[in-house]
Amino acid sequence: QVQLVESGGGLVQPGGSLRLSCAASGSIFSINAMGWYRQAPGKERELVAHITTTGSTSYTYSVRGRFTISRDNAKNTLYLQMNTLKPEDTAVYYCNADPGVLRYYGMDYWGNGTLVTVSS
């Protein structure tokens, strides 16, 4: 019953913008925090943005000020608005519960992700 379907990725030029969406199951959204993760070629998956049920957000330093995470609980949907994109942002982007929740419950389910490529 757990589903995570990311969409909105594509090819964009440096300095451009892109908005990602994540359609998640209600069982995932019952957890009190969600996040966007990304995995660049040859690198480990990292958390880039985090949002609590009440809307408090946090970001990794490299995307702070450029990315905005939001959620629509009624639609079980998570969003990531990405502005001023850089080639270093190129990665497959995933959504999921926050790392603490994943670790505590031993969750290891991931969707297919959506590929973001930033290039001229």
Side-chain angles (χ1 to χ4, degrees):
Q1 295 183 7
V2 175
Q3 294 188 66
L4 297 164
V5 182
E6 300 91 348
S7 63
L11 176 64
V12 64
Q13 295 183 356
S17 298
L18 208 59
R19 184 175 63 193
L20 307 184
S21 297
C22 169
S25 68
S27 62
I28 291 294
F29 265 76
S30 68
I31 298 171
N32 65 4
M34 296 288 292
W36 281 97
Y37 303 73
R38 70 184 181 189
Q39 186 169 23
K43 296 186 177 181
E44 298 292 327
R45 196 196 322 266
E46 65 169 339
L47 179 70
V48 298
H50 172 277
I51 185 168
T52 68
T53 300
T54 56
S56 297
T57 61
S58 62
Y59 304 88
T60 192
Y61 182 80
S62 64
V63 310
R64 197 169 300 154
R66 300 188 298 116
F67 290 11
T68 303
I69 186 173
S70 61
R71 64 193 296 163
D72 186 336
N73 291 334
K75 296 182 178 180
N76 291 338
T77 303
L78 190 71
Y79 303 96
L80 184 67
Q81 178 66 46
M82 305 184 295
N83 298 325
T84 319
L85 283 162
K86 304 175 180 180
E88 307 92 271
D89 297 318
T90 296
V92 178
Y93 285 72
Y94 304 86
C95 63
N96 216 323
D98 80 341
V101 172
L102 294 178
R103 183 170 57 253
Y104 186 83
Y105 290 102
M107 297 174 62
D108 193 28
Y109 178 86
W110 298 88
N112 292 326
T114 185
L115 176 62
V116 172
T117 302
V118 185
S119 176
S120 298

